[in-house]
């Protein structure tokens, strides 16, 4: 999915602006997320008709029920409301980006994929920002080197 704009809250209104780099940002979405977005997109016109609004073909998937742009503060309020019903830690909305990057490192996603997905220009910045967070990374690397050395030392007949 390619994104060409981002939203920001200006007073009581949402305003859209181009990405920091001025280039589209492409983000790979899982099949589960894509299916949910498609389901939501199909349900939007029905919901709008129920409240007497004529759906527009080019409306945003992430919009208020009336089709107007979602305000970033609305997402924050909704997230706070949903988190109150769970045992999940209460972290700032912006920190989700960092939590996501940390989780990607923890499951072995290549840092270049993480850099591209977040719009960070270089893999070095990504590594500087996030790699120190993963405990045991050096120990894991040492074990991988050890396994490679042992595999290389084995006679060909084994």
């Amino acid at each position: 999915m390619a994104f060409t704009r981002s939203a920001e809250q200006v007073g009581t209104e949402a305003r859209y602006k181009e990405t920091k780099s001025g280039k589209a940002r492409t983000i790979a979405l899982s099949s589960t997320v894509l299916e949910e977005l498609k389901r939501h997109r199909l349900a939007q016109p029905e919901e709008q008709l129920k409240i007497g609004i004529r759906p527009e073909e080019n409306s945003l998937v992430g919009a208020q029920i009336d089709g107007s742009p979602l305000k970033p503060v609305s997402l924050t309020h909704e997230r706070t409301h949903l988190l109150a019903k769970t045992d999940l830690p209460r972290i700032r909305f912006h920190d989700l980006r960092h939590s996501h990057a940390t989780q990607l490192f923890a499951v072995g996603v290549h840092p270049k994929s993480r850099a591209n997905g977040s719009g960070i220009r270089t893999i070095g910045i990504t590594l500087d920002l996030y790699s120190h967070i993963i405990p045991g990374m050096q120990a894991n690397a040492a074990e991988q080197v050890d396994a490679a050395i042992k595999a290389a030392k084995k006679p060909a007949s084994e």
Side-chain angles (χ1 to χ4, degrees), residues 11-25:
T12 60
E13 298 301 317
R15 178 173 70 183
Y16 292 91
K17 60 182 183 177
E18 70 177 28
T19 60
K20 286 182 186 177
S21 67
K23 299 176 185 171
R25 183 178 298 169

Side-chain angles (χ1 to χ4, degrees), residues 51-63:
I51 61 169
I53 295 173
R54 183 176 175 199
E56 293 184 23
E57 204 171 298
N58 63 346
S59 65
L60 300 171
V61 174

